[in-house]
Every structure is written in structure tokens, then in C-alpha cells.
Amino acid sequence: MQETEIRPSAVAADGARGAGAGRGLPRHWPLMLLGAAVAPGAVLVLVGRTLEVPAVQAWRTVCLAVTVQALPFLLLGTALSGAINAFVPASVFSRLLPKRAALAVPVAGVAGVVLPGCECASVPVASSLIGRGVTPAAAFAFLLSAPAVNPVVLTATAVAFPGSPEMVLARLVASLVTAAAMGWLWLWLGREEWLRPVVRHSGHRPGHSRWTEFRRGFQHDFLHAGGFLVVGAMAAATFNVAVPRSVLDTFSGSPWLSVLFLAALAIVLAVCSEADAFVAASLSGFSPVARLAFMVVGPMVDLKLIALQAGTFGRAFAVRFSAATAVVAVVCSAVIGGVLL
Amino acid sequence: MKRFAQVGLLVLAGLGLLHTSLFTDEYLRFVKAGMRPLLIASGVLLIGLGAAEAWPGRRPGGGDAHGHDEDHGPGHGRDRADDHGRAEAHADAHADAQAYGDGGRHEGDGHGHGHGDGRDDGVRVGDGDGGHGHDHSRVPRVAWLLFLPVLSLLFYAPPALGSYTASREPAKVVAVQEDAFDPLPATSPLPITLTEFTQRVQQDRSRAIKGRTVRMTGFVTSADGDGWYLTRIVISCCAADSTTLKVRVYGPAAPKADTWVTVEGTWHPGGALGTSSAEVAVDARGVTKVDKPSNAYMDAVPLAS
């Protein structure tokens, strides 16, 4: 915004100077000077006017509201994941897991509780687990469950849905079942060659200050996730302000369409799992099952996660894995939501 | 993102949060009052992070991502480089996905340099075409977006949601009161919230509200047809989940939209009182302008005048 306001004046000034230096002062130089003086102000006023339009103001308010609401949770999540990365050796995870892969999958899914971060934090951790010899199936169960079943996210869900603890329970169960199902699916159908070779990636290293490692990890994760939070907030605000409620009503009327619609919305909006419960709560026209699908699919599959997984594990993996996860997550949330909600 | 930009962003974000929650009560335009301690703590934490990053003497001033290798002895440079190479690989996968909508296309090792002898592990996803890859930012470019809300919080906070939002939302369905209604206090005019007025009109079988003069405060939203709406926007968490309470006002001409007013009047007969067919409306006798409350998202009774 700032740049667009400044640029025209700089261009105008350059133009005037360039012409002046070449052939003496141009004929209309007072006019040009006047233009250079007035144009930035006019642009400023126009931009200002646009920002004062009620719709734009409402958009900015909603956008800031989502950001402000999510920032403390995001800080908490990235601080804790930074601390675990720096202070808890990753080998602890692999020692705790059962040797049989089929058993390790659900255990790893439940172990997701200990990584109180959003989905951006879980991808590097899952990659490091694979690097430490954990079977990929278990690491993927962890990758999928960690952003959805940890205490920070469940607390946020409880706060967002006051008076309906069954929503928290449904989210926990549906996420765990989806994560375990995807882990077993990988054991059954997965192929190692889809995965890019994973390098060693670990938290603390001897000889380094744990404090510095913690601080750096924290800062990196926060800035990283914070940027995507803003993207998500903007998308959510646009959706919130621009889409008339009647469109939502056409989808919210049909139970099956509404589940699919909100699942697709979760993928597109890419809201951080620590904040998505608040977005889901705001979609008050939809059935609880559809909102559950939004909260189960969101932390497991979304645009930023697909990009992150493509970068970490390779594109061949990310495409197959995300597509399968989306289908499994929708089915799980529909079944479990139907039973619990 | 360069190191000084990171420091600036962290400190500004901290200041923005403190400005909105500690020095002013602008945070009430976005979230509930209960968030205040969390916001203040977050602001302090962010400023602390920024200060720790900026702490002099640790690295030569103005260093950027290259600084990692200077930070750690040569014996460990390899390991560190690995970590951060990868961290950056993720980072740039994001940034590229942002910029080009295609995170997987730019595979290459555009970011290997400056990171010691980081193994060329093929995991890096960088911008192999290199045209724009010369700020070896450790933090992805998407983090720059954080400046928008941060600066907006500091210098240009938008107002609380108002009549624009209210006019586009259907009136909130108020909770059904399970217990019998208590008798109304005898005070006249009776200060009442929009929620309670709606409940009394549509749910109270004893029809205690009939003939009573009530006082309600809210802001003005224009309506189609006769009269205008006295409105309140209430939130359950943040402004993204707002719902609107509306009471139709008959009688005096509509003040300017978004003006905060206190309305005195009696129930406007329409439909069967005490059932959902009853119209939530008043015949206004007096409309007075009032100051906008600092916590606009709470359905409160009017202050005594």
C-alpha cells in the first residue's frame, strides 16, 4: 500500500529531472512540477477513500481480527515446538514407538498430542522422524494428527465452540482415526520411491547453545507461520465480506454438499490449525458435521501444506498423499460427526 | 528476509500488539476483552525476541542468513548448514508457491551458497532460475505480509464492524430461554438489552413486555421499507464470527447510519406477542445520541442518564 502511494511521485520526479537535464527545462516545467506535487497527494486521497469504503473497512477489521485472535496461539505453538526441537531429542520419539509398523502408526498418531504447534511445525518434525529411522507410515500418522489433536488446538476449539464439548471430542477422534487410516494406507499401498531421500534433521546438537537454537527455531517458525496466517486471514476476510450469505445458504441447505463445500474451503483458506476453529465457529449457517469436516481437513490438507510437503518429501508424494488424505478425512469426519454430533 | 527486517518486524509486531491492547482499547474492535492478557504477553514476548535477535556483539551488524556459519565453529558448520539449508528449502517452497502458484517447479539448488558445505542433498527446492534469488533470506518472503496487519494495528486501525456488516447479515436467532421468565423490574423506562427484548417479545408467554416503555442502546442501520434498525453486533471470539441483533424502530426518522443512539419506546404490535411470529420492533418516543461504547461487541443495557 505504502509503495503504491510513493511510486508515482518518484516516477514523476525522475521524469522531470531527466527531461530537465537533457535539454534544459522543458516548456511546461511548472505544470510538471505542479503535477509532481499534486499527484502523490491525489493518489493518497484516492487510496484513502478506497480504504474508507465500508466494505473495505469491514474487510480490514475481519482480517485484523483473525490475525490478532490467532497471534497469541501461534506464538505459543511455535515457542513450544521450538522448545521441543531444541530441548527434547528426537530419538526419544523413535525409542517410544513399537517395533511393528502397524502398531507404531496409531501410537505415533496419539503421540501427536505432544507437538503443540500448527501444521507448519509438524512437517519438519515428521521429516526428522523419518531421518531418525522411524517408519514413514508412523511419521505420517504423526504429521497428520499433531496439528489437530494437540492441547493448544483443542483448547482453541473449546474456546471457539463454547458449550459444545462434543465438538472437541469429535475433532480429536476424527483426526486420530484419519491419521491412523492414512498411516495404514501408506503401509498397504505406499512406495518408498515416491519419497525424496530425507537427510538427517535434528534438534539440539552438542556444542551449541540450546537457548540460541530454541530462539532461532521459534523466530523462524513464527515469522514463517505468521506470514501464512496473514494470507489465511485475508482469504477468510474476503470470503467473510464478499460472499453473500445467500450463497452459503444454498450449500448449507444440503447436508452432503455442505460437508464437501467446507472441506474444499478448508483446503483453499489454509487457515492455521490453531485458528481454524474460530473460522469454523463463524460459519454458523452450516451443520456441525460440515464444520467438523472443515476442522479435520484443514490441518491435514491445505494449499500451504501441499507446498510444504512438496518441498520436504517431493511432489510425487505430496500430490498422492494430499488427495488421499482429503478423501479419508472427509469420510472420517462425516461418519464420526454423524455419530457424535 | 534480512536480519534487520526480522528484528524490525518482531519489534513492530510487539509494539502493535501492545498499542492495541495495553495503551489503547482498540483490541476490542477485533476480539473479546478476555484476550487482553494474552495479547499483552504476546507483545512483550515479540519485543523480547526482536531484542534478542538484535543484541549487539553476537554477529557483525547487518548480517543476514549467512551469519549462521559465523555463529558456529567450523567443526559444526556442516551440520548447521544442513539444518538451515533445509529450513530455507521449505521456506522458499512456500515463497515460490506464493509468487508463482507452483511450489514444485523451481527445483534446484539456488540457495546452497552461503551455507558452508551443506550437503547437496537434492531436497532443496529453490528458485533455480535465480533471477530473484539473491536475498538469501532465511525466513520466506511470505513473512513480509506480517507488516500489513502490524502497521495497520499501529497507525491505521479500522473501526469496529458497523452498519455495513449488520445490513448484510440476517438477525441473529437468540437463544431459547429454557426457564420461565422472571417478572420485569418496575422501573420505567426499563433498560434492557437487545437480546432480552427479543426474547421477551418472541418467547415470553406471560407477555410482560406489553405496554412497557423500554430503553435500548445500539447503532443505527438503515432498513428497507418503514423505519430503521437499532442494531448490535456481538461476537463469540473475534470479529470474524460476528452475529447481528436487530430491533426495528418505528416513528422518528432514521439518524445517520452507524450513529449510536438510545431509543425509548414501547413494543410495536405485530404478530402474536410471546411467539416467534411477533415482530421485534418498537414504536419510538425518543431517540438520543450517545457515545460509542469502547466495547461495541457486547449487548449491554443503556447507561443511566
Side-chain angles (χ1 to χ4, degrees):
Chain A
M1 190 202 319
Q2 215 75 349
E3 280 175 37
T4 47
E5 287 160 14
I6 289 164
R7 217 171 273 147
S9 70
V11 170
D14 280 355
R17 204 179 306 131
R23 300 162 257 136
L25 286 174
R27 211 144 40 108
H28 301 297
W29 69 270
L31 274 181
M32 285 182 164
L33 209 63
L34 196 70
V38 169
V43 169
L44 204 71
V45 166
L46 276 180
V47 170
R49 278 273 173 80
T50 317
L51 289 177
E52 298 301 320
V53 168
V56 179
Q57 279 190 337
W59 183 86
R60 290 172 57 221
T61 306
V62 172
C63 186
L64 265 182
V66 174
T67 313
V68 168
Q69 173 74 41
L71 268 184
F73 289 99
L74 188 71
L75 269 174
L76 184 64
T78 48
L80 285 172
S81 75
I84 285 176
N85 200 37
F87 299 114
V88 181
S91 61
V92 165
F93 295 119
S94 54
R95 239 186 292 133
L96 290 176
L97 285 175
K99 292 283 171 285
R100 280 193 55 195
L103 280 180
V105 165
V107 174
V110 174
V113 171
V114 300
L115 186 83
C118 66
E119 56 264 38
C120 320
S122 69
V123 173
V125 174
S127 150
S128 79
L129 287 179
I130 296 176
R132 288 289 179 94
V134 175
T135 169
F140 295 146
F142 179 83
L143 164 82
L144 293 178
S145 78
V149 304
N150 67 65
V152 179
V153 170
L154 290 181
T155 308
T157 311
V159 171
F161 290 91
S164 50
E166 69 274 8
M167 184 58 98
V168 182
L169 181 69
R171 180 175 196 179
L172 174 68
V173 174
S175 301
L176 283 179
V177 169
T178 308
M182 281 307 295
W184 286 321
L185 194 63
W186 177 266
L187 282 181
W188 181 33
L189 294 175
R191 297 218 207 103
E192 289 282 340
E193 64 258 30
W194 292 340
L195 279 177
R196 225 182 247 168
V198 178
V199 293
R200 208 156 68 92
H201 178 90
S202 74
H204 176 68
R205 304 203 170 256
H208 296 278
S209 153
R210 283 178 190 268
W211 162 248
T212 310
E213 284 176 348
F214 161 66
R215 192 177 59 75
R216 284 193 185 293
F218 179 17
Q219 181 178 327
H220 174 270
D221 286 358
F222 171 72
L223 290 176
H224 195 176
F228 280 97
L229 171 70
V230 177
V231 175
M234 285 177 168
T238 306
F239 181 77
N240 204 300
V241 172
V243 178
R245 298 280 153 152
S246 50
V247 170
L248 288 185
D249 290 343
T250 60
F251 283 104
S252 57
S254 146
W256 281 106
L257 271 184
S258 69
V259 169
L260 291 179
F261 178 65
L262 281 202
L265 192 69
I267 296 174
V268 177
L269 284 187
V271 178
C272 185
S273 69
E274 281 152 20
D276 65 355
F278 300 109
V279 178
S282 77
L283 299 165
S284 44
F286 286 89
S287 67
V289 177
R291 292 198 261 173
L292 176 68
F294 181 85
M295 292 191 297
V296 173
V297 173
M300 299 187 174
V301 191
D302 64 41
L303 292 180
K304 71 173 189 290
L305 260 181
I306 294 172
L308 202 56
Q309 290 174 355
T312 310
F313 302 113
R315 233 188 320 172
F317 169 81
V319 171
R320 291 177 172 90
F321 190 70
S322 298
T325 309
V327 173
V328 172
V330 167
V331 171
C332 282
S333 44
V335 170
I336 287 161
V339 173
L340 284 177
L341 296 176
Chain B
M1 186 180 261
K2 300 260 191 239
R3 188 167 162 237
F4 70 84
Q6 290 185 40
V7 172
L9 179 54
L10 290 169
V11 171
L12 278 179
L15 285 177
L17 285 181
L18 286 185
H19 173 80
T20 194
S21 59
L22 185 61
F23 305 134
T24 66
D25 51 16
E26 284 172 359
Y27 73 104
L28 289 172
R29 298 173 188 179
F30 313 118
V31 294
K32 301 208 86 165
M35 284 292 289
R36 187 173 206 177
L38 283 178
L39 292 176
I40 294 174
S42 304
V44 171
L45 184 62
L46 282 173
I47 293 177
L49 262 188
E53 180 70 26
W55 198 254
R58 200 167 293 182
R59 286 195 242 145
D64 54 14
H66 301 269
H68 293 295
D69 292 339
E70 297 155 26
D71 232 9
H72 307 282
H76 300 293
R78 175 192 175 105
D79 289 343
R80 290 296 295 181
D82 239 23
D83 269 5
H84 284 277
R86 280 175 49 75
E88 185 175 306
H90 304 164
D92 280 78
H94 280 230
D96 285 351
Q98 275 301 304
Y100 305 103
D102 179 6
R105 201 183 69 212
H106 305 273
E107 299 195 11
D109 194 9
H111 285 264
H113 35 298
H115 291 277
D117 58 348
R119 271 173 287 167
D120 191 5
D121 46 45
V123 174
R124 292 200 175 112
V125 177
D127 36 354
D129 43 5
H132 53 278
H134 288 283
D135 61 328
H136 304 271
S137 44
R138 189 164 60 97
V139 172
R141 267 154 287 181
V142 71
W144 284 99
L145 279 176
L146 266 174
F147 273 109
L148 290 177
V150 161
L151 292 176
S152 182
L153 275 182
L154 266 178
F155 302 111
Y156 196 54
L161 294 177
S163 62
Y164 173 80
T165 308
S167 65
R168 291 165 55 91
E169 280 184 26
K172 182 190 180 191
V173 181
V174 296
V176 174
Q177 174 127 350
E178 301 286 344
D179 313 324
F181 284 84
D182 294 329
L184 282 171
T187 38
S188 186
L190 175 72
I192 196 169
T193 64
L194 270 63
T195 308
E196 201 190 344
F197 183 77
T198 310
Q199 284 176 332
R200 288 282 179 181
V201 166
Q202 295 197 324
Q203 296 170 23
D204 185 4
R205 299 276 173 188
S206 70
R207 309 203 288 178
I209 201 77
K210 190 169 191 187
R212 293 293 303 268
T213 303
V214 293
R215 268 163 62 87
M216 292 178 289
T217 298
F219 63 85
V220 177
T221 300
S222 53
D224 300 329
D226 225 11
W228 44 279
Y229 285 119
L230 184 70
T231 32
R232 288 260 193 178
I233 288 180
V234 290
I235 62 177
S236 53
C237 269
C238 72
D241 59 32
S242 66
T243 46
T244 307
L245 293 158
K246 294 182 182 179
V247 173
R248 201 164 189 124
V249 180
Y250 293 102
K256 197 165 165 282
D258 283 317
T259 323
W260 280 79
V261 292
T262 292
V263 170
E264 259 183 50
T266 50
W267 177 63
H268 172 86
L273 186 61
T275 70
S276 56
S277 72
E279 192 186 0
V280 185
V282 289
D283 285 318
R285 254 182 254 143
V287 175
T288 39
K289 281 190 186 176
V290 292
D291 289 337
K292 182 178 185 171
S294 63
N295 188 351
Y297 296 135
M298 208 168 57
D299 188 24
V301 295
L303 297 172
S305 56

